[in-house]
């Protein structure tokens, strides 16, 4: 599949590009800066310069088989950037995907996005914006999957996770989040599903079959 990854220069985005390529897909990395191109190419992806905060992102999506949203405003930005990227940017990309008739959309969300009061106070606004983007995606006809991981770590992948509508707070390597998102692309049981995930005892492929 030709897969566009928004937020391709982020920690999880880079892993998505790498693993998509290793799995035989054709990854395209959506980036905002010219100087980020080399890293995407080094990982096996094709860079696409675009800004999800601009409404017209259709040219970046055109010709794709699937879209993944792994972009984020980052912890050091203000509330306005969180709204612009995590909510409005995601919605812009969802709309472009729908308008072009592309069916598959995988959203990287966050644990607590459906209930921001469950999360830490400092993350409340972020979780609210993620939740609004998730709600918009759920209102579409897309074959969506919304992945809400616990605390993200840089530990090595175990390829074993726990999934559920809600799960106990815990952590999960970014590598396993990326693998879960890629597995969801081709697992029909994961379509039209929203779930939380942390490290667990079940192989990713098997875990998604239980949703």
């Amino acid at each position: 599949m030709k897969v566009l990854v928004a937020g391709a220069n982020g920690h999880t985005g880079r892993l998505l590009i790498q693993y998509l390529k290793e799995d035989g897909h054709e990854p395209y990395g959506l980036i905002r800066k010219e100087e980020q191109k080399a890293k995407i190419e080094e990982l096996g992806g094709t860079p696409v310069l675009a800004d999800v905060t601009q409404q017209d992102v259709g040219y970046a999506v055109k010709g794709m088989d699937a879209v993944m949203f792994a972009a984020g405003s980052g912890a050091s930005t203000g509330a306005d950037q969180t709204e612009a990227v995590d909510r409005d940017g995601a919605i812009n990309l969802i709309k472009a995907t729908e308008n072009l008739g592309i069916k598959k959309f995988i959203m990287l969300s966050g644990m607590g996005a459906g209930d921001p009061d469950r999360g830490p106070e400092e993350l409340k606004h972020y979780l609210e914006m993620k939740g609004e983007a998730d709600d918009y995606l759920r209102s579409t006809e897309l074959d969506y999957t919304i992945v809400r991981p616990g605390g993200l770590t840089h530990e090595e992948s175990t390829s074993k996770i726990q999934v559920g509508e809600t799960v106990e707070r815990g952590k999960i390597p970014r590598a396993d989040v990326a693998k879960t998102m890629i597995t969801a692309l081709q697992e029909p049981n994961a379509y039209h599903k929203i779930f939380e995930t942390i490290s667990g005892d079940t192989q990713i492929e098997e875990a998604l079959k239980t949703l």
Side-chain angles (χ1 to χ4, degrees):
M1 284 188 215
K2 286 186 175 181
V3 184
L4 180 71
V5 177
N9 195 53
H11 294 298
T12 307
R14 289 182 181 186
L15 290 165
L16 284 167
I17 296 290
Q18 178 187 333
Y19 294 156
L20 282 164
K21 183 69 173 179
E22 289 174 2
D23 284 358
H25 297 291
E26 199 175 327
Y28 289 76
L30 197 155
I31 50 174
R32 287 195 299 166
K33 298 176 182 175
E34 191 83 29
E35 58 266 30
Q36 295 169 345
K37 280 185 169 181
K39 186 63 185 178
I40 302 304
E41 290 169 344
E42 182 188 318
L43 292 167
T46 301
V48 179
L49 271 175
D51 186 344
V52 294
T53 65
Q54 305 302 309
Q55 289 195 336
D56 183 20
V57 289
Y59 68 92
V61 179
K62 196 171 183 180
M64 298 295 155
D65 299 308
V67 177
M68 293 182 162
F69 188 86
S73 58
S76 58
T77 59
D80 56 339
Q81 274 299 101
T82 303
E83 290 165 18
V85 177
D86 295 279
R87 181 189 63 192
D88 299 343
I91 290 173
N92 286 341
L93 201 62
I94 293 164
K95 286 179 177 176
T97 303
E98 263 202 307
N99 290 342
L100 286 163
I102 298 158
K103 290 298 289 178
K104 292 183 175 66
F105 196 104
I106 313 294
M107 175 76 88
L108 175 56
S109 185
M111 183 178 285
D115 181 8
D117 290 330
R118 281 179 65 211
E121 184 60 35
E122 63 271 19
L123 288 181
K124 190 169 183 179
H125 182 67
Y126 164 78
L127 292 172
E128 285 171 350
M129 294 305 99
K130 293 301 277 185
E132 288 182 23
D134 292 353
D135 287 344
Y136 184 86
L137 180 55
R138 291 168 73 185
S139 75
T140 69
E141 298 297 315
L142 297 172
D143 289 332
Y144 67 82
T145 303
I146 299 171
V147 182
R148 291 176 168 171
L152 298 171
T153 74
H154 295 289
E155 291 176 13
E156 289 200 12
S157 165
T158 66
S159 295
K160 292 183 177 181
I161 59 173
Q162 177 185 342
V163 299
E165 192 172 326
T166 58
V167 298
E168 289 294 318
R169 285 212 156 272
K171 296 185 177 181
I172 184 169
R174 290 177 183 274
D176 284 337
V177 174
K179 288 180 179 181
T180 299
M181 292 172 70
I182 293 167
T183 303
L185 269 183
Q186 295 174 99
E187 174 47 68
N189 194 55
Y191 300 169
H192 306 281
K193 299 283 173 67
I194 178 167
F195 59 88
E196 295 184 349
T197 183
I198 56 173
S199 290
D201 300 319
T202 308
Q203 288 288 338
I204 292 169
E205 292 82 358
E206 294 308 310
L208 295 192
K209 284 181 168 59
T210 69
L211 291 170

